[in-house]
Short mmCIF file of all heavy atoms in Angstrom, two decimals:
data_model
loop_
_atom_site.label_atom_id
_atom_site.label_comp_id
_atom_site.label_asym_id
_atom_site.label_seq_id
_atom_site.Cartn_x
_atom_site.Cartn_y
_atom_site.Cartn_z
N GLN M 157 -6.15 -6.75 4.98
CA GLN M 157 -5.05 -7.42 5.39
C GLN M 157 -3.70 -6.83 4.91
O GLN M 157 -2.83 -6.42 5.69
CB GLN M 157 -5.15 -9.06 4.85
CG GLN M 157 -3.98 -9.84 5.47
CD GLN M 157 -3.95 -11.18 4.90
OE1 GLN M 157 -4.04 -11.38 3.65
NE2 GLN M 157 -3.98 -12.14 5.76
N PRO M 158 -3.56 -6.53 3.54
CA PRO M 158 -2.29 -5.87 3.19
C PRO M 158 -2.15 -4.39 3.74
O PRO M 158 -1.04 -4.05 4.11
CB PRO M 158 -2.49 -5.77 1.63
CG PRO M 158 -3.80 -6.15 1.26
CD PRO M 158 -4.40 -6.88 2.49
N LEU M 161 -0.86 -4.79 7.30
CA LEU M 161 0.51 -5.30 7.34
C LEU M 161 1.39 -4.11 6.89
O LEU M 161 2.45 -3.81 7.58
CB LEU M 161 0.62 -6.35 6.21
CG LEU M 161 0.16 -7.69 6.60
CD1 LEU M 161 0.18 -8.54 5.49
CD2 LEU M 161 1.08 -8.33 7.69
N ARG M 417 -11.51 -12.13 -8.43
CA ARG M 417 -11.53 -12.54 -6.89
C ARG M 417 -13.00 -12.18 -6.44
O ARG M 417 -13.50 -12.87 -5.53
CB ARG M 417 -10.63 -11.75 -6.26
CG ARG M 417 -9.41 -12.29 -5.64
CD ARG M 417 -9.45 -13.37 -4.60
NE ARG M 417 -8.46 -14.28 -4.69
CZ ARG M 417 -7.25 -14.25 -4.01
NH1 ARG M 417 -7.12 -13.14 -3.22
NH2 ARG M 417 -6.23 -15.05 -4.16
N ILE Y 63 -4.02 -11.63 11.89
CA ILE Y 63 -3.70 -11.46 10.47
C ILE Y 63 -4.05 -12.42 9.57
O ILE Y 63 -4.51 -12.46 8.46
CB ILE Y 63 -2.25 -10.75 10.27
CG1 ILE Y 63 -2.13 -9.84 9.16
CG2 ILE Y 63 -1.31 -11.87 10.19
CD1 ILE Y 63 -2.75 -8.61 9.43
N ALA Y 64 -3.89 -13.71 10.10
CA ALA Y 64 -4.13 -14.97 9.29
C ALA Y 64 -5.58 -15.06 9.04
O ALA Y 64 -5.99 -15.54 8.03
CB ALA Y 64 -3.43 -16.15 9.87
N HIS Y 69 -8.48 -10.78 0.70
CA HIS Y 69 -8.39 -9.60 0.02
C HIS Y 69 -8.40 -9.81 -1.55
O HIS Y 69 -8.26 -10.84 -1.92
CB HIS Y 69 -7.13 -8.76 0.46
CG HIS Y 69 -5.88 -9.42 0.22
ND1 HIS Y 69 -5.22 -9.43 -1.04
CD2 HIS Y 69 -5.15 -10.25 1.03
CE1 HIS Y 69 -4.11 -10.12 -0.81
NE2 HIS Y 69 -4.08 -10.64 0.31
N LEU Y 70 -8.65 -8.70 -2.22
CA LEU Y 70 -8.66 -8.78 -3.65
C LEU Y 70 -7.17 -9.08 -4.13
O LEU Y 70 -6.30 -8.70 -3.28
CB LEU Y 70 -9.14 -7.43 -4.28
CG LEU Y 70 -10.62 -7.20 -3.89
CD1 LEU Y 70 -11.20 -5.98 -4.76
CD2 LEU Y 70 -11.48 -8.40 -4.16
N LYS Y 283 6.40 -10.99 8.00
CA LYS Y 283 7.02 -11.15 6.62
C LYS Y 283 6.41 -12.37 5.85
O LYS Y 283 6.30 -12.26 4.67
CB LYS Y 283 8.58 -11.26 6.75
CG LYS Y 283 9.19 -10.39 5.63
CD LYS Y 283 10.72 -10.33 5.86
CE LYS Y 283 11.53 -10.38 4.65
NZ LYS Y 283 12.86 -9.99 4.76
N TYR Y 284 6.08 -13.47 6.73
CA TYR Y 284 5.49 -14.54 6.05
C TYR Y 284 4.16 -14.05 5.30
O TYR Y 284 3.96 -14.51 4.23
CB TYR Y 284 5.16 -15.61 7.18
CG TYR Y 284 4.30 -16.69 6.58
CD1 TYR Y 284 4.82 -17.73 5.85
CD2 TYR Y 284 2.94 -16.69 6.63
CE1 TYR Y 284 4.12 -18.76 5.25
CE2 TYR Y 284 2.08 -17.65 6.05
CZ TYR Y 284 2.64 -18.67 5.35
OH TYR Y 284 1.89 -19.65 4.78
N PHE Y 285 3.46 -13.25 6.11
CA PHE Y 285 2.06 -12.85 5.44
C PHE Y 285 2.30 -11.78 4.27
O PHE Y 285 1.62 -11.97 3.27
CB PHE Y 285 1.17 -12.25 6.43
CG PHE Y 285 0.88 -13.21 7.55
CD1 PHE Y 285 1.50 -13.26 8.73
CD2 PHE Y 285 -0.15 -14.18 7.23
CE1 PHE Y 285 1.25 -14.21 9.76
CE2 PHE Y 285 -0.43 -15.09 8.29
CZ PHE Y 285 0.21 -15.11 9.47
N THR Y 286 3.23 -10.97 4.54
CA THR Y 286 3.46 -9.88 3.43
C THR Y 286 3.88 -10.51 2.13
O THR Y 286 3.43 -10.05 0.99
CB THR Y 286 4.44 -8.86 3.79
OG1 THR Y 286 5.72 -9.34 4.08
CG2 THR Y 286 3.95 -7.94 4.93
N TYR Y 287 4.69 -11.63 2.23
CA TYR Y 287 5.05 -12.34 1.00
C TYR Y 287 4.13 -13.35 0.62
O TYR Y 287 3.50 -13.31 -0.53
CB TYR Y 287 6.44 -13.07 1.24
CG TYR Y 287 7.60 -12.11 1.01
CD1 TYR Y 287 7.92 -11.05 1.94
CD2 TYR Y 287 8.34 -12.20 -0.20
CE1 TYR Y 287 8.96 -10.22 1.66
CE2 TYR Y 287 9.41 -11.23 -0.32
CZ TYR Y 287 9.65 -10.29 0.65
OH TYR Y 287 10.74 -9.37 0.44
N HIS Y 288 3.73 -14.36 1.41
CA HIS Y 288 2.90 -15.48 1.00
C HIS Y 288 1.48 -14.94 0.83
O HIS Y 288 0.72 -15.66 -0.11
CB HIS Y 288 2.87 -16.56 1.95
CG HIS Y 288 4.31 -17.23 2.02
ND1 HIS Y 288 5.32 -16.77 2.54
CD2 HIS Y 288 4.62 -18.45 1.35
CE1 HIS Y 288 6.42 -17.55 2.33
NE2 HIS Y 288 5.98 -18.47 1.58
N LYS Y 289 1.06 -14.15 1.53
CA LYS Y 289 -0.44 -13.83 1.48
C LYS Y 289 -0.82 -12.54 0.73
O LYS Y 289 -1.90 -12.24 0.50
CB LYS Y 289 -1.10 -13.58 2.96
CG LYS Y 289 -1.15 -14.92 3.84
CD LYS Y 289 -2.06 -16.02 3.10
CE LYS Y 289 -1.75 -17.27 3.81
NZ LYS Y 289 -2.26 -18.44 2.90
N VAL Y 290 0.17 -11.86 0.36
CA VAL Y 290 -0.10 -10.66 -0.46
C VAL Y 290 0.75 -10.68 -1.87
O VAL Y 290 0.20 -10.86 -2.81
CB VAL Y 290 0.24 -9.26 0.24
CG1 VAL Y 290 -0.18 -8.21 -0.53
CG2 VAL Y 290 -0.61 -9.23 1.66
N ARG Y 291 2.05 -10.48 -1.65
CA ARG Y 291 2.79 -10.47 -2.77
C ARG Y 291 2.77 -11.68 -3.68
O ARG Y 291 2.82 -11.58 -5.00
CB ARG Y 291 4.42 -10.36 -2.40
CG ARG Y 291 4.96 -8.99 -2.47
CD ARG Y 291 6.22 -9.05 -1.66
NE ARG Y 291 7.21 -8.76 -2.83
CZ ARG Y 291 8.31 -8.06 -2.67
NH1 ARG Y 291 8.57 -7.53 -1.59
NH2 ARG Y 291 9.25 -7.84 -3.66
N TRP Y 292 2.74 -12.80 -3.16
CA TRP Y 292 2.71 -14.11 -3.93
C TRP Y 292 1.34 -14.73 -3.93
O TRP Y 292 1.19 -15.96 -4.43
CB TRP Y 292 3.67 -15.07 -3.34
CG TRP Y 292 5.05 -14.59 -3.34
CD1 TRP Y 292 5.57 -13.51 -4.07
CD2 TRP Y 292 6.31 -15.10 -2.64
NE1 TRP Y 292 6.95 -13.41 -3.85
CE2 TRP Y 292 7.44 -14.32 -2.96
CE3 TRP Y 292 6.42 -16.23 -1.73
CZ2 TRP Y 292 8.75 -14.61 -2.50
CZ3 TRP Y 292 7.68 -16.52 -1.21
CH2 TRP Y 292 8.94 -15.67 -1.48
N ASP Y 293 0.29 -13.98 -3.54
CA ASP Y 293 -1.07 -14.67 -3.58
C ASP Y 293 -1.69 -14.49 -4.93
O ASP Y 293 -2.21 -13.46 -5.23
CB ASP Y 293 -1.96 -13.96 -2.55
CG ASP Y 293 -3.35 -14.45 -2.63
OD1 ASP Y 293 -3.60 -15.45 -3.36
OD2 ASP Y 293 -4.22 -13.80 -1.95
N GLU Y 295 -3.83 -16.96 -6.15
CA GLU Y 295 -4.78 -17.98 -6.37
C GLU Y 295 -5.98 -17.64 -7.00
O GLU Y 295 -6.77 -16.73 -6.70
CB GLU Y 295 -5.14 -18.49 -4.84
CG GLU Y 295 -5.22 -20.04 -4.81
CD GLU Y 295 -5.46 -20.33 -3.36
OE1 GLU Y 295 -4.71 -20.00 -2.47
OE2 GLU Y 295 -6.44 -20.99 -3.11
#
Side-chain angles (χ1 to χ4, degrees):
Chain M
Q157 190 187 49
L161 287 165
R417 255 291 150 91
Chain Y
I63 208 77
H69 56 84
L70 300 189
K283 220 169 143 164
Y284 169 83
F285 296 98
T286 57
Y287 275 73
H288 290 78
K289 296 292 165 197
V290 185
R291 263 174 107 139
W292 299 345
D293 172 14
E295 217 173 308

